[in-house]
Amino acid sequence: MDRIRLVGGNELRGEIPISGAKNAALPLMIASLLTDEPLVLQNVPRLADVKQLERILENHGVDIAVHGRRRGEEDAVGQRMTFHAADIVDTTAPYDLVSKMRASFWVIGPLLARCHEARVSLPGGCAIGTRPVDLFLFGLKQLGATIDIDDGYVVARAPKGGLRGAHIVFPKVSVGATHTILMAATLAKGTTIIENAAQEPEITNVAECLVAMGADITGIGTRTLKVVGVDRLHGASVDVIPDRIETGTFAMATAMTGGDVLLRGARAEHLDAALAILGQTGAQISVEGNGIRVRRNGNGIQPVDVDTDPFPGFPTDLQAQFMALMTMSTGVSKIRETIFENRYMHVAELARFGADIHVDGQLATITGKSQLKGAQVMATDLRASVSLVIAGLAARGETVVNRIYHLDRGFERLEDKLSRCGAEIERLAG
Ligand code: EPZ
């Protein structure tokens, strides 16, 4: 398996183009199942998770094309892709495909809405907690579906005539359940109200795509979505939003190493909470016409306490990276992970750099050190892996991050982007 080798100590200086958001691209691709016309997506990141979802969609009969770059775009990140589900040839999403990535479970919504049946394997994904699917099943049942669990598969059937609009109040905020029910409701008969919906920017990106496809959705960007079902959706062309987690990750890397980096294309309104916290640590953040600039010049990293929360709160997907930053603060900071019950697997690995972190349930207490030292490390999920890269960039000496398969799931051209800003980083073939 490939590894990343890096030698820490260099400041980051330059520009990093921000890729399209993985967590928007995946549900946008899934939305293509709702129509027999082509859905064109611009700025799809080239990631292992995107490739994996392509396999799943192809299994359902989706025709997928990747378009060439135009002149002058050779250096661009992302790609333009067309997804055309003229006919759904198979409504089963098999275990060997779904088990690799949790988001693939979300096909259950569009398949059920369009084909009135779906058989989808229970999902896999990053090992960050139990991650059940009860909220999905609750929402689909409210839309009139019958659900059976058969041999590791969720078998869902719509009532005669298709799904029916309903008033759904989610007991807990879930990104995936919101995407799934929102997509399913677009083709249901009548009106659906989704209360306590997730309001992450990726949900807004998908809702706006569905509207461009002919769906009737109001309340976009709020906790309450109203969907009036339509008979059919049509094709559309939609941009994937810039990746706010990639943005936050490079912002934290710059805050940790020192330096001055423009995160080109990033949108500050998608990560207000994280940028405010970074500002409190002593980094200077300025919003420029074409992105966000992050600077830190020699001053110490201030300790700041953080709780993760659904959007617009501080994202759980930046918790590991922020913890890496706090390992070199000038004092004691506390992080409370409130979304996933088991998302501290990076703690033991950060300790290999000499970090001082104590975990008690959901609460991590980090006592900052003036210097970390390079180490051999390995991570078991995507964001944890990149937190180790950040720590390695700031640590003295050599770091090797093993099993970087997870990084390739969610970061496009990571080593390239960092090395162009002065980092000493390379991929070692496995
Ligand atoms: C999405 O996962 C993201 N994945 C995750 O990013 C992100 O960490 C998470 O939202 C929270 O922001 C994608 O967008 C592809 P949830 P999702 O349902 O939808 C519980 C990354 O690193 N829950 O909002 O799976 C669940 O266990 C990934 O890019 C139920 O209890 O997250 C968790 O505690 C990892 N029952 C909480 O809700 C359910 O039926 C929030 O999870 C569903 C979820």
Side-chain angles (χ1 to χ4, degrees):
M1 272 193 216
D2 287 3
R3 292 166 294 154
I4 279 185
R5 174 186 170 274
L6 39 91
V7 179
N10 294 358
E11 290 194 334
L12 293 176
R13 287 189 184 277
E15 264 187 46
I16 298 181
I18 297 302
S19 294
K22 166 180 84 79
N23 290 348
L26 298 176
L28 286 168
M29 291 164 67
I30 289 173
S32 69
L33 291 168
L34 287 163
T35 174
D36 59 5
E37 294 184 16
L39 176 65
V40 180
L41 299 179
Q42 326 263 1
N43 199 26
V44 181
R46 282 164 293 174
L47 298 171
D49 272 9
V50 167
K51 275 262 156 257
Q52 180 60 20
L53 184 57
E54 284 177 38
R55 285 183 205 110
I56 291 163
L57 294 178
E58 278 169 345
N59 180 63
H60 295 306
V62 182
D63 237 9
I64 301 176
V66 181
H67 305 288
R69 282 150 203 264
R70 283 179 268 202
R71 266 177 89 76
E73 282 184 343
E74 291 80 3
D75 187 37
V77 288
Q79 54 196 353
R80 190 162 47 251
M81 299 180 75
T82 300
F83 299 85
H84 190 186
D87 291 302
I88 305 286
V89 297
D90 191 343
T91 54
T92 294
Y95 171 81
D96 55 329
L97 294 175
V98 178
S99 59
K100 298 200 171 67
M101 181 176 62
R102 181 174 166 89
S104 42
F105 184 76
W106 305 352
V107 299
I108 197 167
L111 288 177
L112 193 53
R114 180 165 160 196
C115 308
H116 299 182
E117 59 169 36
R119 187 168 172 271
V120 181
S121 170
L122 287 162
C126 282
I128 55 180
T130 48
R131 305 185 82 186
V133 293
D134 54 319
L135 299 173
F136 296 73
L137 305 188
F138 162 78
L140 293 172
K141 282 182 190 163
Q142 302 267 309
L143 294 177
T146 53
I147 305 278
D148 292 299
I149 308 291
D150 174 25
D151 216 9
Y153 280 76
V154 176
V155 182
R157 287 184 195 85
K160 214 168 153 34
L163 295 174
R164 296 185 299 252
H167 190 152
I168 298 167
V169 184
F170 279 125
K172 181 173 182 176
V173 177
S174 161
V175 171
T178 302
H179 278 308
T180 303
I181 300 305
L182 177 63
M183 288 194 252
T186 58
L187 292 179
K189 300 260 170 305
T191 300
T192 299
I193 309 280
I194 307 173
E195 283 193 60
N196 207 20
Q199 43 183 166
E200 269 64 5
E202 294 77 18
I203 301 275
T204 297
N205 200 185
V206 169
E208 286 174 348
C209 170
L210 294 169
V211 169
M213 293 165 73
D216 180 348
I217 305 172
T218 46
I220 294 174
T222 74
R223 281 262 173 265
T224 305
L225 295 165
K226 180 178 172 196
V227 189
V228 181
V230 295
D231 288 340
R232 65 181 301 271
L233 297 179
H234 51 73
S237 176
V238 172
D239 285 347
V240 179
I241 56 171
D243 195 314
R244 64 194 166 98
I245 305 303
E246 190 197 27
T247 305
T249 300
F250 288 130
M252 285 173 197
T254 309
M256 191 154 180
T257 60
D260 182 338
V261 173
L262 176 69
L263 303 165
R264 182 152 45 84
R267 285 170 59 177
E269 72 273 22
H270 289 172
L271 70 168
D272 280 342
L275 294 179
I277 295 284
L278 264 181
Q280 290 172 37
T281 70
Q284 291 159 275
I285 314 286
S286 49
V287 180
E288 303 190 355
N290 55 350
I292 301 171
R293 184 173 294 282
V294 182
R295 270 173 291 184
R296 193 171 66 79
N297 301 321
N299 55 335
I301 300 167
Q302 300 304 307
V304 181
D305 296 345
V306 158
D307 286 2
T308 62
D309 268 315
F311 189 83
F314 186 95
T316 173
D317 289 347
L318 286 174
Q319 178 256 109
Q321 301 88 315
F322 186 69
M323 187 180 285
L325 175 62
M326 287 297 96
T327 62
M328 278 181 62
S329 86
T330 56
V332 178
S333 59
K334 291 183 191 301
I335 296 179
R336 191 180 300 276
E337 171 57 55
T338 73
I339 308 292
F340 293 108
E341 77 272 23
N342 187 20
R343 208 175 194 179
Y344 280 141
M345 260 106 65
H346 41 283
V347 168
E349 298 303 299
L350 286 171
R352 297 182 197 275
F353 293 95
D356 180 349
I357 306 167
H358 176 74
V359 174
D360 182 7
Q362 290 184 303
L363 184 70
T365 305
I366 306 115
T367 305
K369 292 262 178 88
S370 57
Q371 187 62 61
L372 300 179
K373 55 180 189 318
Q376 286 262 357
V377 289
M378 179 175 80
T380 44
D381 85 76
L382 166 59
R383 311 303 175 185
S385 303
V386 85
S387 77
L388 304 178
V389 172
I390 294 180
L393 289 173
R396 189 185 304 123
E398 183 183 90
T399 289
V400 176
V401 183
N402 292 292
R403 277 183 63 179
I404 58 168
Y405 146 80
H406 286 287
L407 279 176
D408 294 332
R409 293 184 58 181
F411 288 92
E412 190 179 36
R413 287 178 28 201
L414 180 76
E415 315 90 89
D416 180 43
K417 289 181 180 184
L418 286 170
S419 63
R420 282 171 189 238
C421 287
E424 196 175 330
I425 180 168
E426 62 178 338
R427 180 178 290 245
L428 306 176

